[in-house]
Amino acid sequence: MNHNGRIIKHLAYADDIVIFRGGNNKTIKLIKHQIRRYEKASGQKVNNDKSFFITAPNTSPHRINRMRRMTGCMDKKFPFNYLGCTIYSGKKNLSYFDSMLAKIVKRLNGWQSSMLSDGGKITLIKHVLQSIPIYTLSALNLPKGTICLIEMHFANFLWGTSDGKNKYHWSKWENLCFPKDEGGVGIRSMHDISNSLILKRWWRFRTQPFLWADFLMKKYCKRSHPVSKVPTSADSHTWKSLMKIKAQAEPDIIWKVQAGNSSFWWDNWTGLGALAKLCQAQVSLLKFLSTLLLRMVPGTLKI
């Protein structure tokens, strides 16, 4: 991260706190001192059984044991759960989201599908089951395999079972996700929901002064504009998903002139698109016409 950017030392929401610090003795003593001051002032006490610390992958066992003794907490590894979302490091794994799938399966097991009509099942899918992963999707982009598993459970519930086996699916799930006037049943596709929430994240990243937006700007856009930024293999999953969706989102973000928060070349303040893109398209068109004329009319001057 850019050293000129905001330094994030902790995240706090209600009684859930994440502290980002080193593991040396002085730092741990200072943190424990502040925690004791808080406990003395508030009358509350930190539950060490629910608290834990995470170290770098190659931290020595000796250092981990020392931190256990000083903090009174045990160590953990990624992934862990914070505010209902799975926090992981490295490659996404389908198993990271098993708890969310378990919630859907638990809800399905509590319903007697054989006692419900097709209309009742569709209503439950649209208004109950599809709302379960919305919170996670608003913060993270799930693996495609997880989304396919979610829709598979929806389809099995809709078509029902017989003698412990799933009944034949008379139509693809993609066909059921069309609107009713187009031959579907009006169920929203989870892939479309995921993409729409990624679009919303890009809009919030570009227009709202959030802490995470400032962090991403300082990390990935130190010398370039987000619209012109080219993704690399070393980027995070969150940034890669934003890069994939920006071309679809940018034409619908209109910037006000004289507001002092837009780029002359890269922001869409004309309503027709970014000037850099428009000029690039014009140059490409001129080069194409020039090449075409040279082939058709001998001796034509090159533009």
Side-chain angles (χ1 to χ4, degrees):
M1 183 177 176
N2 187 3
H3 296 293
N4 296 326
R6 187 180 304 182
I7 299 176
I8 301 176
K9 297 181 179 179
H10 68 278
L11 297 173
Y13 181 83
D15 59 347
D16 290 322
I17 301 175
V18 179
I19 302 174
F20 303 96
R21 300 305 296 170
N24 57 73
N25 292 347
K26 183 179 179 181
T27 300
I28 295 176
K29 287 179 180 178
L30 287 173
I31 293 174
K32 293 295 290 183
H33 175 68
Q34 294 300 324
I35 291 176
R36 285 194 294 268
R37 289 184 60 189
Y38 168 79
E39 291 176 340
K40 185 177 180 180
S42 64
Q44 299 176 333
K45 187 173 178 62
V46 175
N47 190 341
N48 286 338
D49 295 334
K50 293 183 178 180
S51 303
F52 59 90
F53 63 89
I54 297 178
T55 61
N58 297 322
T59 305
S60 64
H62 172 74
R63 190 173 188 182
I64 293 177
N65 290 330
R66 176 179 56 80
M67 295 175 66
R68 288 175 180 172
R69 291 192 302 269
M70 295 188 67
T71 61
C73 307
M74 295 300 294
D75 60 301
K76 272 191 177 182
K77 298 184 182 299
F78 288 105
F80 67 93
N81 192 279
Y82 180 65
L83 300 180
C85 292
T86 301
I87 309 300
Y88 59 91
S89 176
K91 186 178 179 180
K92 282 187 292 187
N93 195 313
L94 297 181
S95 62
Y96 294 167
F97 306 96
D98 285 345
S99 59
M100 184 183 62
L101 287 172
K103 291 180 182 178
I104 296 175
V105 173
K106 182 179 179 181
R107 187 63 64 90
L108 289 172
N109 292 337
W111 293 334
Q112 297 294 331
S113 61
S114 60
M115 305 294 293
L116 296 170
S117 64
D118 292 339
K121 293 178 182 178
I122 292 172
T123 301
L124 289 174
I125 291 173
K126 292 169 61 175
H127 300 289
V128 179
L129 294 178
Q130 287 194 325
S131 64
I132 294 176
I134 290 296
Y135 174 75
T136 303
L137 286 170
S138 64
L140 303 171
N141 51 314
L142 298 180
K144 291 183 179 179
T146 300
I147 296 178
C148 290
L149 284 174
I150 292 173
E151 293 187 337
M152 183 191 71
H153 288 300
F154 292 170
N156 292 337
F157 171 70
L158 177 62
W159 296 109
T161 59
S162 178
D163 298 329
K165 296 182 180 180
N166 294 323
K167 291 183 178 180
Y168 184 76
H169 295 192
W170 292 98
S171 180
K172 290 183 178 180
W173 183 256
E174 292 81 0
N175 297 334
L176 300 178
C177 293
F178 285 112
K180 292 182 178 179
D181 56 357
E182 296 181 15
V185 296
I187 298 176
R188 296 177 297 174
S189 168
M190 293 304 301
H191 293 279
D192 292 342
I193 294 174
S194 177
N195 289 333
S196 64
L197 291 172
I198 297 174
L199 284 167
K200 184 177 180 180
R201 282 204 296 275
W202 177 259
W203 174 79
R204 296 178 69 188
F205 166 72
R206 294 280 281 120
T207 61
Q208 304 296 320
F210 291 111
L211 175 63
W212 67 272
D214 181 64
F215 178 84
L216 291 177
M217 280 292 295
K218 295 298 189 297
K219 182 175 182 180
Y220 295 108
C221 305
K222 292 182 289 186
R223 298 182 180 87
S224 60
H225 193 275
V227 176
S228 64
K229 184 68 178 179
V230 178
T232 64
S233 58
D235 294 342
S236 66
H237 298 297
T238 299
W239 185 251
K240 287 179 180 178
S241 66
L242 293 176
M243 289 291 99
K244 290 180 181 178
I245 211 74
K246 68 178 181 179
Q248 184 179 349
E250 277 299 317
D252 296 319
I253 302 177
I254 310 297
W255 298 84
K256 293 183 178 180
V257 179
Q258 295 183 344
N261 60 348
S262 59
S263 168
F264 178 79
W265 283 109
W266 294 107
D267 286 332
N268 180 19
W269 54 270
T270 65
L272 302 174
L275 284 182
K277 300 288 186 181
L278 294 175
C279 292
Q280 184 179 5
Q282 291 286 349
V283 171
S284 300
L285 179 61
L286 288 174
K287 288 183 177 179
F288 171 75
L289 292 176
S290 175
T291 304
L292 186 63
L293 288 173
L294 286 172
R295 291 179 179 178
M296 294 178 61
V297 183
T300 304
L301 292 176
K302 184 176 181 180
I303 299 176

